[in-house]
Amino acid sequence: MDAVSLQVMVGALRAACDEMGVVLVRSAHSANVKERRDASTALFDPDGQMVMQAEHIPVHLGAMPSAVAAVVGEDHSSGDAWVLNDPYRGGTHLPDITVISPVLSGAELVGFAASRAHHADVGGATPGSMPADSRVLDDEGVVIPPTRLARAGRLDEELLHDLTGGMRAPAQRRADLRAQLAANRTGGMRLKELAARSGLGALGEAMRETLDYGERRTRARIAQLPDGDRDARDVLEAGEHDLPLRLTASVGGEGLLLDFTGSADQHDGNLNCPLAVTLSACYFAVRVLTDPDVPPSAGAYRPVRVIAPEGSLLNARPPAAVAAGNVETSSRVADLVLGAFGQALGQGTMNNLTLGNDDFTYYETLAGGQGACADADGPSAVHVAMSNTLNTPIEALELEFPLRAVEYSVRRGSGGAGEHRGGNGVVRELEALGRHALFADHRTPPARTSEPRGGPGERGRNVLNGVELPGKVDGELAPGDRMRIETPGGGGQEVDMAEVERVERVFLGLGIMGARMAANLCRAGFEVTAWNRTRARAEGLAEAHGARGPRHPPRRQATRGDDHDGRGRSAGRGCSSARTARRGPRRGRARADMSTIAPTASRAIADRPRRAPGRLPGRARDRLAPEGRGRHAHRHGRWRASRPSSSLDRCSPPWESSSCTSAAGATVR
């Protein structure tokens, strides 16, 4: 299949998954799905390989294929549907219920449409089905093995009532399951339309090519990582003691091995992970580290091999409880993988909060701070890592539940210190208007950077009526009680000067973006000379960013169109300069061009010196190339790629031509 046809098919499959998600969210009754959007949708080929998934919940990424694998060998007919939530048959934890619908064109199986949604309650001893003290799976609610929910288009109403009869708010559970069936029907229709338009053979080829395309892109990015082993260590809080987590990440050529040998044995509580959840966390982290834009398919994860010894915390055996493994342990697994590759870590928890009684169940994962990047502060008040949900809006919360929002704000100053600060967490304070059961769970140690160079974020806090509670707590709220959750901040990060010193020339570009990057350099401690077309503009830029103008008057009156450097001498065509005042420790000097070339033209300009170094090509400044994030550093006459780690990457790659100073970059000494 040619590249254009492949991209058309990839777009069609992605659009079908997105439409499935829209149908599910718009049709659901519970706030968990319609407001927080704690759900995922995906399409699979006839062999059960995930071809495309909508950009929904990372923790569902690796587990959805395991669920389809549990039914792929069954007899299928048009209009059938299967339902399951068993964590050891492809589920994650019991509230995540998966509905799978085979898609047939005539008598031939085209593929599968699947949807997964977090249901607010699936039974069990406590509202929300997330008990703090569960020991076996049955303690957490109704366990649904792979079961045929519909046959030949006829829904088994008796089975549906039996399944939901053991859950709180059964009518809402049935409504959400019907919404999942509707989402699957939408995906099935779109697959059959593609088959009718392109032919079954072409659709099958497109699915295979999509998987291979994802594999090629992931392998190419893994190949850019230095070969070798990387170790990471963490702990998981388990009441009176901590459970060790160990990872050795080995990069070899185009493959990646993640070995969790040495992690704690299976836990007698509910922090256990089924293997599908561990895979989900690993796949999410690998996607972040390699190519976040690769189509989320089974092919993208072929180069990744995961070892988690059976019977360990990360590959538990049934019937071990798993309620917290899906939300807390999975977050820590993602942190391990990211930390092994030197990333600053986020809050490391989903900040679970559950309130309810026999009449209602409120469940939410709360946002927190993400770790800083090498070129920017970490984002604040976002769902980090394995959770990608929205919040429950205050209006919806107070309308649907007997709760009042007292405060919802950014937790200022909770991000870790560093050259780039970690993101801040949030404060969520709720007042109970009735008597409710309570369960709250968050990470108690502070978020950490993977390197000692950055500062840790503030740890999370649970506070009830002004009294601080443990990280994991369950109990009961009386009317008027106020529960306050302060979520952790992300880890900060210092600038790695070993990386900075390798960058000799960087291109900043024109206008506002170039000015902002010059200001970032200045804040990082560089002394920056900012170029612009006229002296007035250069001096205006300098004034706006705490800079000073040229220290020396020009030696001659420049002709129209001439440049001026930082000392006022004629330097060519098109710009004048002003030198910024550095802030903070001395890091080096940089010369930043703001005059003639927009950042989007940088790719065309940078490609040229590798073929013919020297003069800037005649119309290169007019050739726009918005794609690409790579950066090239020139050292000793050779061009080489270096790891994107600087705020200058956004205007990549750089080039400075000795024969055309209007294309000047920034020189770091």
Side-chain angles (χ1 to χ4, degrees), residues 26 33 82 90 155 164 192 225 273 292 299 316 374 422 553 579 642 662:
R26 295 293 182 88
V33 180
W82 298 80
L155 180 65
T164 59
K192 288 190 279 189
L225 299 173
C273 272
R579 180 161 293 168
S642 58
S662 63

Side-chain angles (χ1 to χ4, degrees), residues 431-443:
E431 180 181 345
L433 302 182
R435 188 168 295 278
H436 317 314
L438 161 71
F439 171 71
D441 187 9
H442 70 73
R443 182 186 178 98

